[in-house]
Amino acid sequence: MGEKDISEKLLADYEDVFADIVNVLLFHGERRVPPDSLRSTKTVSHYKADDSRLHEQERDILKAWTDGRIQIALLGLEHQTEPEKQMAVRVIGYEGANYRSQYKAKQITPVITLVLYFGTEKRWQYPQNLKALMDIPDGLESYVNDYHIHVFEIAWLTDEQINMFQSDFRVVARYFSEKRKNKNYVPHDKTILRHIDAVLKLLAVMSGDHRYETILADPEQKGKVNTMDDALTRVINEGHARGLAEGQIKILVSLCRSGNISVEIAADQLKISTDEFRKYLDSDMTDY
């Protein structure tokens, strides 16, 4: 599994966030699913395709909603950054495997999948049912079973819906909603985040904005960043420091090339070796 796939699933895999998403999107904010009623279950299943070979398919997240020892439902989440025309086929494959695994059960547990779409440039324009993908011959319409999927466009949720979230997902939903309205939106949010690492990774993967990932690479700073406001301040400070360093390099390279200072003096100013400084001299100055 790639790092991108892991980052997509990391936040929603926390029970408090998963329950919050389900409670808002399915139950309109009613706290029907407590976090402690959820348990992770197997996400991998297999199927045979036209080539008769066994293939593996993996859901993003699948949790069993239980009430004591009784399983109420299987709840799945799928993350999408782009609309996918064949999404109904994918979902029916996932859910079909979940139902097939219950073939000998005394009571069949319902399986529900929520597709979370994080795009901000365009809405989900593809059909959300199986029949819409088919060209059904005359006379067969009533014999072909339809299948519907449930797509939630996070960037198009209303303010009322976003305010229903009680977990870190509220900050995520707000981010994508504002990003849709303003491409240059920068979040000023002082909400204390419980899963700051997972939030920053999700935003980086789903929005393509990787500025906040630099914070995660610095172990000394991770513990000091608890809100999106903290993250923004850190990003600005790092950008400022990087700009100063790049400006100093440009000046020293220019002075060295013009013969005003030696390579040794320039390297000493930057606290690096002369060999390292010569790399700047040999490169295109526009890179720095």
Side-chain angles (χ1 to χ4, degrees):
M1 188 184 300
E3 186 177 352
K4 178 178 181 292
D5 295 325
I6 294 172
S7 298
E8 287 179 9
K9 305 171 188 179
L10 198 57
L11 179 63
D13 200 32
Y14 287 106
E15 271 73 21
D16 64 311
V17 178
F18 189 100
D20 194 32
I21 292 171
V22 172
N23 285 327
V24 171
L25 299 183
L26 292 191
F27 299 116
H28 311 290
E30 185 182 347
R31 301 288 118 180
R32 291 277 301 277
V33 181
D36 60 6
S37 71
L38 297 169
R39 60 177 177 81
S40 296
T41 189
K42 187 173 72 170
T43 57
V44 177
S45 58
H46 299 86
Y47 66 95
K48 280 189 176 181
D50 291 341
D51 57 10
S52 296
R53 296 175 59 188
L54 196 63
H55 296 264
E56 183 176 276
Q57 60 181 5
E58 183 174 5
R59 281 176 164 274
D60 283 352
I61 305 171
L62 182 67
K63 291 186 184 290
W65 175 21
T66 64
D67 181 10
R69 295 182 179 180
I70 301 172
Q71 186 165 282
I72 300 171
L74 288 173
L75 303 171
L77 295 182
E78 297 299 320
H79 294 68
Q80 288 291 124
T81 54
E82 293 289 337
E84 184 176 328
K85 184 177 182 179
Q86 309 287 3
M87 195 68 198
V89 178
R90 274 183 56 195
V91 172
I92 195 173
Y94 296 147
E95 296 190 355
N98 294 141
Y99 282 120
R100 184 65 182 83
S101 67
Q102 303 179 64
Y103 183 71
K104 294 185 179 181
K106 292 181 179 180
Q107 183 70 39
I108 302 299
T109 298
V111 184
I112 300 166
T113 301
L114 287 67
V115 179
L116 307 183
Y117 170 57
F118 291 90
T120 58
E121 298 291 329
K122 55 188 175 184
R123 303 201 69 159
W124 187 281
Q125 73 271 33
Y126 293 125
Q128 297 186 33
N129 68 302
L130 191 60
K131 276 190 173 182
L133 299 174
M134 302 177 184
D135 184 8
I136 303 173
D138 291 342
L140 295 184
E141 172 71 28
S142 60
Y143 297 98
V144 177
N145 292 325
D146 205 358
Y147 201 87
H148 293 264
I149 60 173
H150 311 287
V151 178
F152 295 90
E153 300 170 292
I154 303 304
W156 278 270
L157 294 178
T158 65
D159 288 340
E160 180 182 7
Q161 287 174 301
I162 292 172
N163 290 332
M164 288 180 187
F165 291 111
Q166 297 180 8
S167 69
D168 291 356
F169 199 77
R170 179 193 290 183
V171 171
V172 171
R174 178 69 64 195
Y175 175 89
F176 284 98
S177 174
E178 295 300 328
K179 197 78 172 175
R180 171 179 64 84
K181 303 168 190 172
N182 175 14
K183 292 181 180 179
N184 299 316
Y185 169 72
V186 178
H188 289 278
D189 196 314
K190 297 183 181 297
T191 303
I192 301 296
L193 295 170
R194 186 175 179 184
H195 313 292
I196 182 68
D197 285 23
V199 169
L200 295 179
K201 286 176 181 175
L202 179 69
L203 294 183
V205 168
M206 290 303 185
S207 69
D209 185 347
H210 296 278
R211 291 175 300 170
Y212 297 104
E213 284 185 318
T214 59
I215 300 164
L216 303 173
D218 187 345
E220 293 184 4
Q221 292 299 322
K222 282 172 67 174
K224 300 176 183 177
V225 175
N226 298 303
T227 69
M228 289 303 294
D229 219 32
D230 293 339
L232 174 62
T233 300
R234 177 66 183 166
V235 166
I236 290 173
N237 289 343
E238 283 195 355
H240 181 62
R242 191 181 302 113
L244 291 176
E246 291 172 357
Q248 186 180 18
I249 291 171
K250 282 184 177 181
I251 291 171
L252 292 172
V253 166
S254 178
L255 289 172
C256 197
R257 285 177 174 173
S258 64
N260 289 304
I261 61 172
S262 67
V263 170
E264 290 74 19
I265 291 176
D268 184 64
Q269 288 291 316
L270 294 173
K271 307 301 181 189
I272 61 176
S273 69
T274 55
D275 287 342
E276 286 180 284
F277 184 75
R278 283 196 174 91
K279 292 179 181 177
Y280 293 124
L281 278 176
D282 295 339
S283 64
D284 185 347
M285 277 183 59
T286 59
D287 293 338
Y288 302 99

